[in-house]
Amino acid sequence: MVLVVDAANVVGARPDGWWRDRAGAARRLLDQLERLPGRTARGAEGADVRVVAVAVVLEGRARAAGQDDRVPAPGVHVLLAEGSGDDAVVALVEHLQDELGEGDAEVVAVTADRGLRARLSARSWGPGWLRDLLDER
């Protein structure tokens, strides 16, 4: 599975003061997401899934987290949305689905945004699932 993460939605799902430092909150999320590629975990629907890659969309002030000199871990890709983060997520999902052949990894978006979910051509799981997974040690 390839996860496409709506970073703003995932960060905003936990009221931990993220709004005071959006770039810092996004950087912490990126650091956590680096543990996922290559990992097998329980998916939101109960079956085990293997995460082969994670693509994260950063928008607004959170984009600064993807503009530093740090190189993401293998299997983690950061997309800096020029405009709407939702538009970038939709475009990225469609691009990945076109790139992946039949039988290759499935694309799953992580967001709770109902409007975004309605626009997606892929399954989507909520940020609570991802947060729980990232909280596991």
Side-chain angles (χ1 to χ4, degrees), residues 96-127:
L96 289 170
Q97 288 177 320
D98 288 344
E99 291 292 312
L100 297 171
E102 190 68 33
D104 285 340
E106 177 185 9
V107 177
V108 175
V110 180
T111 185
D113 183 321
R114 289 183 188 154
L116 175 55
R117 283 180 168 203
R119 297 174 55 196
L120 293 170
S121 57
R123 288 190 300 162
S124 59
W125 294 345

Side-chain angles (χ1 to χ4, degrees), residues 7-29 32 131 134-135:
N9 194 265
V10 172
V11 167
R14 184 174 285 169
D16 60 2
W18 59 264
W19 52 89
R20 290 187 294 270
D21 180 9
R22 292 171 195 260
R27 170 51 56 207
R28 288 188 295 279
L29 176 62
Q32 291 179 306
R131 285 297 196 175
L134 295 175
D135 288 345

Side-chain angles (χ1 to χ4, degrees), residues 21-104:
D21 180 9
R22 292 171 195 260
R27 170 51 56 207
R28 288 188 295 279
L29 176 62
L30 290 173
D31 290 345
Q32 291 179 306
L33 291 171
E34 289 184 347
R35 298 190 318 251
L36 294 184
R39 182 174 172 188
T40 298
R42 176 95 40 214
E45 296 162 355
D48 283 347
V49 295
R50 183 162 178 79
V51 178
V52 296
V54 178
V56 185
V57 175
L58 299 176
E59 64 182 306
R61 287 182 272 163
R63 289 168 37 98
Q67 295 173 323
D68 59 18
D69 292 335
R70 292 182 57 180
V71 176
V76 176
H77 309 278
V78 178
L79 174 68
L80 305 177
E82 292 297 323
S84 162
D86 288 2
D87 291 347
V89 169
V90 171
L92 181 57
V93 165
E94 290 173 358
H95 171 76
L96 289 170
Q97 288 177 320
D98 288 344
E99 291 292 312
L100 297 171
E102 190 68 33
D104 285 340

